[in-house]
Amino acid sequence: STVAESIHEPVKPSISISLTKLLIDGKFVDAASGKRFPTIDPRTEEVIAHVAEGDEEDVNRAVKAACKAFDKGPWPKMTAYERSKILIRFADLIDEHSDEIATLESLDSGKPYEQSRNIEVPMVARLFRYYAGWADKIHGLTVPADGAYSVQTLHEPIGVAGQIIPWNFPLLMFAWKVGPALACGNTIVLKTAEQTPLSALLAGKLLHDAGLPEGVLNIVSGFGPTAGAAIASHMDIDKLAFTGSTEVGKIVSRAAAESNLKPVTLELGGKSPFIITEDSDIDQAVELSHFALFFNQGQCCCAGSRTYVHESIYDEFLEKAKARALKRVVGDPFQNGVEQGPQISDEQFHKIMGYIKKGQEEGAKLVTGGERFGRKGYYIKPTIFADVQDEMTILKEEIFGPVQSITKYKTIPEVIQRANASPYGLAAGVFTKNIDTANTLSRALRVGTVWVNCFDVFDAAIPFGGYKMSGHGREKGVYSLNNYLQVKAVVTSIKDPAW
Ligand code: ADP
């Protein structure tokens, strides 16, 4: 980590933060209460900016604007082609402003700038072009029914969508949610995570620059129990989409049910297995399983956080996994070549350190890391535990940090049983050269995504979502459109059937 130490000094990104208010009815406005909250730079633990803090009253204002835009406004009445063109124009604006938007994203979240600039921001543009492509290809069916009836289905927008997103991928989560909702002709009230409010406000402005009518997308920055709860329980919000913890997923589902029974899609926690078979190229397996866990500071709901290694290659794998973790470049996210920045917040930092302590107390073998990196900022050294047993907390609960838990297995039936013995079912990684094993595992694992000899492939067209307590519904791809459409059957009696 000597390389890393040398590039740990905070860089001052050149950016002025101009958008800090709520976006309601096409205008940036203060919170009704006048309150503001600080958003923190995870590299320095200092305040980046104070942002308007929305609560119930602001959500009410935003919902009113969204209802008006849906009922009276031009949005659902525009042709699908016109809506599509606005989404494409927005994608072009994202490309034009990619340096600025990536800087905001990394500053607010601590993720490496190269990752924001070269992967995530281009992916946001790609997602909006993908959904723009769908806007004018959404149509119903002509249905053959018994009797003299002409039957057709209309696929209509649901209305006002409430969307609550997390802090680990602020812009991508914005795109996964806003893209399909707009393509289908809905209007939106979106709440960003309180840790990362900044990039979505710029994205919201650019969408309006691209021609989005006022009131179609409203952004309320604020906290979960106030602004978030107001969205989940609002009587005039017709659909709720949530990404976050399983615990809060239950809270918002309950609120949705107890208010107006709005349908809910949930993308929640995970504890994804990454299974490495005996025939694997060990160097490649080490690299991919390292990426599967450590990507984005380990803050991925689908992180490959249970590394199952076949006993015949276990010792060599462990030695090489340790060497790779030691080589991981931790440092300021604005320095070139940095692979890992700080964790998002003081709270997450302490939660992760708590899991590391628990791992040691319960007898897992700490192979490397396990402590803070540097003196300032929420940095944690890449950490590996070996010989982790199924009943240990670190193999059961989501850590959401740079902590890899490695465990040994003997047979494929055994590893299937152990991998599936989790309340979560978001994703799995399989690393093998044996096509039969790949087929067996892909079908046996009870998860929403199986990545075979790859991981974290997030193409716009590939659906993503969970089995079990990882949630329900699918985002991205054609499947995401179902979340934002109503199906109306129109049945017309035929007076004089020709037959
Ligand atoms: P994480 O543990 O990743 O922060 P959370 O589930 O706490 O995940 O947060 C995800 C999103 O849910 C954030 O936007 C947060 O503000 C929001 N949230 C938290 N609590 C509630 C709540 N009680 N009602 C609605 N939204 C909430």
Side-chain angles (χ1 to χ4, degrees):
S1 60
T2 46
V3 185
E5 291 285 1
S6 70
I7 56 175
H8 186 47
E9 280 308 305
V11 175
K12 272 238 171 313
S14 59
I15 189 164
S16 67
I17 315 269
S18 54
L19 301 175
T20 57
K21 297 187 177 184
L22 313 177
L23 177 54
I24 297 179
D25 210 7
K27 290 163 214 67
F28 282 97
V29 297
D30 289 315
S33 67
K35 282 209 268 185
R36 297 167 82 76
F37 68 99
T39 184
I40 304 294
D41 182 342
R43 307 172 305 153
T44 59
E45 308 179 31
E46 285 159 15
V47 175
I48 303 169
H50 286 87
V51 175
E53 180 183 332
D55 59 21
E56 189 178 352
E57 201 176 335
D58 304 293
V59 168
N60 288 342
R61 285 198 290 167
V63 173
K64 224 176 236 156
C67 285
K68 192 179 71 183
F70 189 77
D71 295 334
K72 303 202 176 66
W75 188 243
K77 299 187 182 75
M78 280 165 83
T79 66
Y81 181 45
E82 284 172 307
R83 287 205 307 268
S84 163
K85 281 193 288 188
I86 292 172
L87 300 184
I88 289 173
R89 231 176 281 142
F90 171 60
D92 293 342
L93 288 177
I94 289 276
D95 284 342
E96 279 167 37
H97 292 80
S98 55
D99 292 341
E100 185 186 357
I101 200 159
T103 302
L104 268 188
E105 186 77 334
S106 281
L107 188 62
D108 219 6
S109 71
K111 68 177 74 209
Y113 176 75
E114 289 172 339
Q115 178 187 324
S116 299
R117 174 65 183 76
N118 301 331
I119 301 173
E120 294 179 23
V121 171
M123 221 179 227
V124 170
R126 178 71 184 91
L127 279 152
F128 274 91
R129 290 196 183 96
Y130 175 84
Y131 290 117
W134 268 118
D136 59 357
K137 293 164 199 72
I138 295 166
H139 53 74
L141 303 171
T142 303
V143 181
D146 289 351
Y149 301 104
S150 158
V151 182
Q152 60 181 151
T153 56
L154 306 181
H155 290 189
E156 299 180 336
I158 295 191
V160 179
Q163 304 184 322
I164 300 175
I165 59 175
W167 46 261
N168 57 343
F169 292 96
L171 274 174
L172 277 177
M173 293 301 103
F174 175 94
W176 286 23
K177 297 233 172 344
V178 171
L182 292 184
C184 295
N186 298 272
T187 62
I188 298 171
V189 176
L190 172 99
K191 192 192 89 62
T192 46
E194 57 272 25
Q195 297 85 350
T196 52
L198 297 177
S199 57
L201 294 172
L202 177 53
K205 176 188 177 291
L206 295 178
L207 254 167
H208 285 81
D209 292 348
L212 192 76
E214 60 192 29
V216 175
L217 170 67
N218 305 275
I219 303 178
V220 181
S221 318
F223 291 86
T226 49
I231 290 174
S233 62
H234 206 289
M235 291 301 287
D236 296 325
I237 289 183
D238 303 295
K239 192 258 160 348
L240 180 67
F242 172 84
T243 297
S245 59
T246 295
E247 181 195 350
V248 176
K250 288 184 180 179
I251 296 174
V252 297
S253 290
R254 216 174 289 134
E258 282 170 3
S259 53
N260 60 348
L261 274 173
K262 57 181 81 59
V264 181
T265 40
L266 299 171
E267 205 269 89
L268 309 174
K271 192 75 188 171
S272 299
F274 188 101
I275 300 169
I276 298 158
T277 65
E278 58 193 313
D279 53 54
S280 298
D281 176 308
I282 296 181
D283 292 327
Q284 288 174 7
V286 164
E287 189 57 38
L288 194 63
S289 60
H290 176 88
F291 168 70
L293 183 281
F294 290 100
F295 175 62
N296 206 45
Q297 294 69 244
Q299 302 167 146
C300 299
C301 46
C302 55
S305 52
R306 294 184 282 156
T307 310
Y308 292 93
V309 182
H310 191 265
E311 59 176 357
S312 63
I313 55 172
Y314 185 82
D315 293 339
E316 186 182 348
F317 179 92
L318 202 56
E319 200 178 299
K320 289 182 164 169
K322 176 184 176 184
R324 178 63 184 91
L326 281 169
K327 247 184 35 204
R328 185 167 186 79
V329 183
V330 184
D332 188 278
F334 288 96
Q335 297 274 17
N336 290 340
V338 161
E339 296 177 281
Q340 181 178 318
Q343 308 308 125
I344 186 70
S345 65
D346 187 55
E347 185 188 340
Q348 287 295 317
F349 175 89
H350 284 102
K351 199 171 150 200
I352 296 161
M353 293 308 287
Y355 276 116
I356 291 173
K357 189 158 164 267
K358 193 124 203 160
Q360 288 172 289
E361 281 167 7
E362 292 181 1
K365 191 165 109 199
L366 182 66
V367 174
T368 182
E371 32 177 49
R372 172 189 279 276
F373 175 91
R375 289 165 299 280
K376 207 168 57 164
Y378 311 123
Y379 294 89
I380 295 178
K381 286 189 182 168
T383 298
I384 294 182
F385 279 104
D387 303 347
V388 186
Q389 304 301 312
D390 290 357
E391 65 283 359
M392 292 179 184
T393 308
I394 58 169
L395 210 61
K396 289 198 293 203
E397 295 183 13
E398 188 172 39
I399 300 175
F400 232 64
V403 182
Q404 185 175 24
S405 299
I406 302 178
T407 183
K408 195 188 288 187
Y409 76 92
K410 280 188 175 49
T411 69
I412 295 295
E414 172 208 332
V415 81
I416 290 171
Q417 187 272 324
R418 290 172 63 198
N420 280 339
S422 166
Y424 294 118
L426 194 53
V430 170
F431 197 79
T432 184
K433 286 191 180 135
N434 186 324
I435 186 79
D436 298 322
T437 308
N439 282 328
T440 301
L441 285 171
S442 333
R443 280 150 188 78
L445 294 168
R446 303 203 55 229
V447 297
T449 301
V450 180
W451 283 298
V452 182
N453 295 339
C454 59
F455 206 85
D456 281 347
V457 178
F458 285 114
D459 190 275
I462 304 175
F464 185 81
Y467 282 31
K468 300 194 264 182
M469 282 169 77
S470 291
H472 46 72
R474 293 292 177 271
E475 295 190 297
K476 299 197 289 114
V478 59
Y479 298 90
S480 63
L481 303 176
N482 298 337
N483 303 334
Y484 296 101
L485 291 170
Q486 283 281 20
V487 177
K488 177 185 283 175
V490 178
V491 183
T492 309
S493 167
I494 299 175
K495 202 168 161 215
D496 294 309
W499 56 86

